[in-house]
């Protein structure tokens, strides 16, 4: 029992100190930022699920629609005995329908920083798909260590499943590096099934990230409450407002927290000063054209094979292979 505890505690401390380092670094810069992965603690993951249900947030619904209409075609494209790997798996709901129709899947390797949501999902998958092998990995999918165990699983084909337009959260150079990381953990001919939100009119985009039910606002502000709870800070979230807008040139929706009056916040003993009107940049959601994304895939080591879209051309699911 003692040995088990001592191996858990340092890991938690390590995560906390990395969180603190990232927060102090992000808030200490000229332009204040916070890495968007920290939006997802247990409450943040639940709030994100609520966002997916919001009328204005068309992404999840549209992606689900493309999947359900093309599921057999997608399964045929992937082929038999595939090991499905999902970085940022969340509640693993999308993959479940796919695992159910794939021909003799080898199993499922989900990776997520939020352990609560991941292990809940693992239990549900094992219950709903008896016999399915699941190797859950808690950690940051941008770090090589969470991919290491893949080497011990023999499979005919590996396919990285990256839905939800999560690639859109990465700056272009970081998105390319992430694709390279995926490719490095796959072999030639292995696959990538990936969802991207398509470039469209800014009104629709901005409404999706500033919904009338204020769920995105709660999701955005939750990061301040999380920093208070986990790092002993004293943010007053009422002194910040949620702001999101479409940046035409960068083809991305930016999400910020705008400071409403001059004040200081203490984060683990360090003072951070905020000026009225100053913002903390919390998330980007890049939008791609089909051609633009095909180019990115090629830069990341993949050959685009095919894609599926909805009839309104709002969203696309791409299949690509490692070259
Ligand atoms: C937008 S949700 C997507 C969930 C699911 N793949 C889907 O499409 O519905 C993002 C998920 O990725 C996880 N996540 C975000 N950044 C991560 C990172 N760097 N490493 C591991 N998980 C991450 C979050 O915890 C959250 O569950």
């Amino acid at each position: 029992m003692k040995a088990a505890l001592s191996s858990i505690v340092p890991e938690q401390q390590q995560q906390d100190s990395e969180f603190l380092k990232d927060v102090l670094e992000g808030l200490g810069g000229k332009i204040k930022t916070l890495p968007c992965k920290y939006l997802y603690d247990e409450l943040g993951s639940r709030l994100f699920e609520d966002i997916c249900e919001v009328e204005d947030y068309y992404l999840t619904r549209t992606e689900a629609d493309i999947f359900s209409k093309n599921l057999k075609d997608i399964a045929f494209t992937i082929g038999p005995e595939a090991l499905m790997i999902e970085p940022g798996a969340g509640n693993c709901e999308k993959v479940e329908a796919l695992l159910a129709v794939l021909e003799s899947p080898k199993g499922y390797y989900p990776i997520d920083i939020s352990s609560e949501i991941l292990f809940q999902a693992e239990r549900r998958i094992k219950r709903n798909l008896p016999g399915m092998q699941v190797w859950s990995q808690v950690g940051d999918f941008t770090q090589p260590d969470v991919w290491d165990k893949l080497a011990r699983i023999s499979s005919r084909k590996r396919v990285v499943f990256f839905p939800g337009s999560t690639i859109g959260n990465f700056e272009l150079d970081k998105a390319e590096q992430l694709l390279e990381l995926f490719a490095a953990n796959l072999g030639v001919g292995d696959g990538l099934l990936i969802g991207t939100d398509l470039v469209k009119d800014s009104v629709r985009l901005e409404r999706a990230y500033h919904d009338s039910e204020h769920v995105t606002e709660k999701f955005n502000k939750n990061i301040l409450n999380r920093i208070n709870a986990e790092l002993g800070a004293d943010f007053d979230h009422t002194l910040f407002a949620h702001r999101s807008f479409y940046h035409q040139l960068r083809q991305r929706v930016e999400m910020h927290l705008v400071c409403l009056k001059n004040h200081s916040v203490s984060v683990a003993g360090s003072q951070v000063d905020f000026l009225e009107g100053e913002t903390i940049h919390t998330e980007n959601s890049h939008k791609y054209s089909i051609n633009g994304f095909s180019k990115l895939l090629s830069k990341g080591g993949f050959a685009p094979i095919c894609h599926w879209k909805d009839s309104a051309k709002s969203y696309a699911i791409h299949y690509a292979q490692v070259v």
Side-chain angles (χ1 to χ4, degrees), residues 30 42 55 60-61 75 99 111 127 157 187 203 208 238 306 322:
K30 217 170 163 198
E42 196 182 353
E55 182 62 29
T60 313
R61 252 189 342 271
L99 287 170
I111 307 168
R127 201 171 51 239
K157 188 174 190 180
V203 175
T238 64
C306 56
V322 179

Side-chain angles (χ1 to χ4, degrees), residues 36-38 40-41 45 48 52 57 60 63 86-94 111-114 117 139-142 161-166 169-170:
C36 69
K37 64 181 176 184
Y38 294 121
Y40 298 93
D41 60 351
S45 297
F48 181 74
C52 296
Y57 194 78
T60 313
E63 189 185 62
E86 186 174 0
N91 62 17
C92 310
E93 260 174 21
K94 293 172 189 167
I111 307 168
D112 207 287
I113 31 170
S114 175
I117 197 161
D140 182 342
F141 62 69
T142 63
F161 180 51
F162 204 47
S165 184
T166 307
N169 296 144
F170 291 78

Side-chain angles (χ1 to χ4, degrees), residues 83-135:
L83 170 65
M84 298 301 292
I85 304 154
E86 186 174 0
N91 62 17
C92 310
E93 260 174 21
K94 293 172 189 167
V95 82
E96 199 178 313
L98 189 56
L99 287 170
V101 295
L102 281 176
E103 187 184 337
S104 317
K106 170 75 188 182
Y108 179 48
Y109 190 98
I111 307 168
D112 207 287
I113 31 170
S114 175
S115 56
E116 296 86 355
I117 197 161
L118 189 59
F119 289 121
Q120 244 176 44
E122 175 174 332
R123 284 195 292 276
R124 193 197 66 240
I125 289 182
K126 286 182 167 164
R127 201 171 51 239
N128 293 350
L129 301 172
M132 182 63 60
Q133 293 216 66
V134 182
W135 295 270

Side-chain angles (χ1 to χ4, degrees), residues 234-273:
D234 59 1
F235 273 106
D236 176 352
H237 70 81
T238 64
L239 296 181
F240 290 87
H242 168 69
R243 181 190 289 165
S244 57
F245 59 89
Y246 184 57
H247 195 306
Q248 293 279 0
L249 205 64
R250 295 191 172 145
Q251 289 191 185
R252 70 188 191 195
V253 175
E254 293 191 5
M255 200 161 81
H256 294 254
L257 288 164
V258 190
C259 171
L260 299 175
K261 73 170 206 199
N262 293 354
H263 70 287
S264 300
V265 174
S266 159
V267 182
S270 299
Q271 181 178 317
V272 185
D273 299 322

Side-chain angles (χ1 to χ4, degrees), residues 54-63 197-198 200 204-205 208-209 287 314-315:
V54 161
E55 182 62 29
D56 295 324
Y57 194 78
Y58 60 87
L59 286 87
T60 313
R61 252 189 342 271
T62 312
E63 189 185 62
D197 196 18
L198 294 173
K200 62 181 68 58
R204 189 154 179 235
L205 282 170
Y209 294 85
K287 310 300 163 186
S314 302
Y315 195 93

